Amino acid sequence: MSIADLAIAGGYTVGDVLLAGAAGFVVLALGMLYRAVVGPTMQDRVLAVNVLGTNTVVILALLGAALDEPTFLDIAIVYALLNFLMAIAVSKFTVERGGVL
């Protein structure tokens, strides 16, 4: 028996399970936000911001599926592209300054 079957047997819909998953990812994002602010090195901060961006994409995708709103998925795709470009730009910037990422 899968988790979806157990949730449906418990009276929850699949949308409720997806919303609970999105809430779990929000809690994990708060931990990464702490690491992005406090991180001891620049590499820790860059990685934490990258994880925050990926986490945001997952949250948007879960919300889009749970609320049956395809617009959220379009926004998630654009945000994933921006997150990727940001990671490339920061990596190029730190390597040009002499740091190793």
Side-chain angles (χ1 to χ4, degrees), residues 15-101:
D16 294 336
V17 175
L18 292 175
L19 286 175
F25 275 105
V26 168
V27 170
L28 293 174
L30 293 175
M32 276 296 112
L33 184 63
Y34 172 77
R35 180 54 56 198
V37 172
V38 175
T41 65
M42 182 66 172
Q43 289 82 11
D44 289 331
R45 290 187 178 105
V46 168
L47 189 60
V49 169
N50 197 3
V51 170
L52 275 172
T54 304
N55 211 359
T56 303
V57 170
V58 171
I59 291 168
L60 285 171
L62 286 173
L63 286 176
L67 301 176
D68 198 25
E69 280 290 329
T71 308
F72 281 114
L73 297 176
D74 295 338
I75 294 169
I77 290 171
V78 170
Y79 199 83
L81 178 63
L82 289 174
N83 188 37
F84 172 73
L85 291 175
M86 185 273 313
I88 297 294
V90 169
S91 297
K92 185 173 173 22
F93 177 72
T94 55
V95 168
E96 283 179 358
R97 284 186 34 205
V100 177
L101 189 66

